[in-house]
Amino acid sequence: MRWWDIEPVLELEKDLFPEDAWSRGMFWSDLAHARGPDATRRYFVAEEVDPEGGRRIIGYGGLATAGTESDSGSATGADVQTIAVAREHWGTGLGALLLTELLRAATAFECAEVMLECRVDNVRAQKLYERFGFEPIGFRRGYYQPGNVDALVMRLRDPSASVPAREADEQQTGVQATDVQGTQSNG
């Protein structure tokens, strides 16, 4: 994800999460930490290309490293900040592809574990996370505002063990034509 992706991402964000959508400033802030040797974030967008060559963002995801650095300089953990797929692409495997890219980023950051929060009423997302090995570890009461919806906290130990090969992803999901692009860190 780059700065020019923020506006189309916001449109999708507001459609999918009308009550608790991220703001423009939240995306700008996270993207400010997604490049360079000291990058602590990684964000991706998935684009659909129409026959005329036009591109439309149909999904996105973001990851932030967390915790203190170890002696080797690696982060101890990461948090899935956001992941979303346009409604018309639900069930296509795009969410799994985005999550795979986030877990690859966590592996590149040498994270030992990945955490996330998921709305307790979002069973579709919970099933996706469980397929990748995430386990529920607790709740955050009233986490999603203003709707006062609880969050299920989930954790994945060793994200590198949950990342399938890209070729297997494409065969399983059938989304080869979708372009997943992300910011790259130099670290």
Side-chain angles (χ1 to χ4, degrees):
M1 184 185 301
R2 303 296 277 252
W3 65 267
W4 53 81
D5 296 320
I6 291 176
E7 289 307 315
V9 163
L10 280 173
E11 289 177 28
L12 189 53
E13 176 84 1
K14 289 174 185 171
D15 176 52
L16 296 171
F17 312 110
E19 289 186 358
D20 49 12
W22 276 32
S23 69
R24 180 177 290 104
M26 292 169 76
F27 281 108
W28 272 104
S29 177
D30 265 22
L31 287 181
H33 300 282
R35 299 187 56 81
D38 297 323
T40 59
R41 309 283 194 275
R42 187 72 52 86
Y43 276 75
F44 298 93
V45 296
E47 296 179 322
E48 182 175 68
V49 180
D50 65 33
E52 291 82 41
R55 296 178 177 272
R56 182 174 76 93
I57 292 177
I58 57 172
Y60 56 90
L63 179 96
T65 60
T68 57
E69 290 192 15
S70 68
D71 292 338
S72 67
S74 63
T76 59
D79 291 300
V80 172
Q81 299 291 88
T82 185
I83 188 167
V85 173
R87 293 177 201 281
E88 66 270 18
H89 290 276
W90 286 1
T92 66
L94 182 55
L97 183 61
L98 285 165
L99 184 55
T100 296
E101 292 301 321
L102 295 177
L103 295 178
R104 283 191 177 120
T107 300
F109 280 125
E110 299 179 3
C111 295
E113 67 179 23
V114 177
M115 306 279 289
L116 59 82
E117 293 89 15
C118 179
R119 290 175 63 106
V120 294
D121 57 359
N122 191 345
V123 177
R124 176 189 300 269
Q126 291 171 33
K127 289 182 181 206
L128 170 66
Y129 302 139
E130 287 170 356
R131 281 196 345 248
F132 277 76
F134 281 86
E135 297 176 333
I137 61 168
F139 294 93
R140 293 198 174 151
R141 303 286 176 213
Y143 183 78
Y144 294 99
Q145 293 297 327
N148 201 35
V149 177
D150 296 343
L152 175 64
V153 180
M154 302 181 84
R155 175 177 54 205
L156 172 67
R157 295 187 189 274
D158 190 12
S160 65
S162 297
V163 179
R166 183 180 302 270
E167 296 78 24
D169 285 345
E170 290 177 353
Q171 288 176 347
Q172 181 181 15
T173 64
V175 291
Q176 303 94 319
T178 301
D179 188 15
V180 177
Q181 303 176 0
T183 61
Q184 301 297 315
S185 72
N186 297 327

